[in-house]
Amino acid sequence: MTDAVPARLPMEWIAASLKRERTRVGLSLSELAKRAGIAKSTLSQLEAAGGNPSMETIWALAVALGVPFSALVEPPAPVVQVIRAGEGPTVHSEQSSYLASLLSACPPGARRDLYFVWLEPGTVRDSEPHIPGTVEHIVVSEGTVKAGPRGETVELGPGDYMSYRGDVAHSYEALAAGTKFVLVMQHI
């Protein structure tokens, strides 16, 4: 297993997904930008495969489109898929040292996304509510993380599991260097 930080997401994936989902729900660039709270020029640049969007920007767009985060960042799926440690499509937070690598998105009809997360001490990753019905599951593999809904966070160590509502404000905070965990987002 490598400790190297994975590469960023290819913008072509995000651009194609944004266009597909925006068209599917019948929104103009202006309307989607307004709903997501971002500039129309930023959205236009993203759909043209330009820019370097943060996790917060992609998440705001996903919420505005009513789709899971993974619908905007997942790669085209091959018949057999292997993601080696440290090689998954990864996004970062502008607010903390939080990195998340999408390992598996839900197939049509199922609504579950699987992430491997790297988190370092010193900052808190605050997450706004996701789409209604979201439940998050965490399994810690290394280090210690304090996670859960605001006001109800719990400290977890290696092997610990936790689930909680993801459609309310919640946070993640590493209490030890090299903290890593698997995050499953279930959309009910």
Side-chain angles (χ1 to χ4, degrees), residues 30 32-43 46 57 60-61:
S30 297
L32 178 55
K34 178 180 170 185
R35 289 183 184 188
I38 65 171
K40 179 182 173 184
S41 59
T42 299
L43 179 55
L46 293 176
T57 298
L61 288 163

Side-chain angles (χ1 to χ4, degrees), residues 42-157:
T42 299
L43 179 55
S44 179
Q45 184 180 24
L46 293 176
E47 282 198 4
N52 192 13
S54 69
M55 175 183 291
E56 290 80 8
T57 298
I58 297 169
W59 221 289
L61 288 163
V63 170
L65 290 165
V67 298
F69 176 83
S70 63
L72 299 182
V73 299
E74 68 182 329
V79 175
V80 174
Q81 183 178 15
V82 175
I83 299 176
R84 301 285 181 205
E87 293 180 357
T90 302
V91 292
H92 77 288
S93 170
E94 291 179 338
Q95 302 169 353
S96 66
S97 65
Y98 183 97
L99 293 172
S101 183
L102 178 64
L103 301 177
S104 173
C106 284
R111 297 188 49 110
R112 175 246 341 122
D113 303 323
L114 179 64
Y115 297 88
F116 189 82
V117 177
W118 296 260
L119 189 60
E120 292 297 328
T123 56
V124 175
R125 165 70 181 131
D126 287 315
S127 182
E128 294 302 316
H130 305 310
I131 60 176
T134 300
V135 175
E136 293 194 0
H137 305 265
I138 292 177
V139 179
V140 178
S141 58
E142 295 181 41
T144 307
V145 64
K146 187 175 175 182
R150 286 190 191 149
E152 299 179 58
T153 56
V154 175
E155 189 174 314
L156 304 167

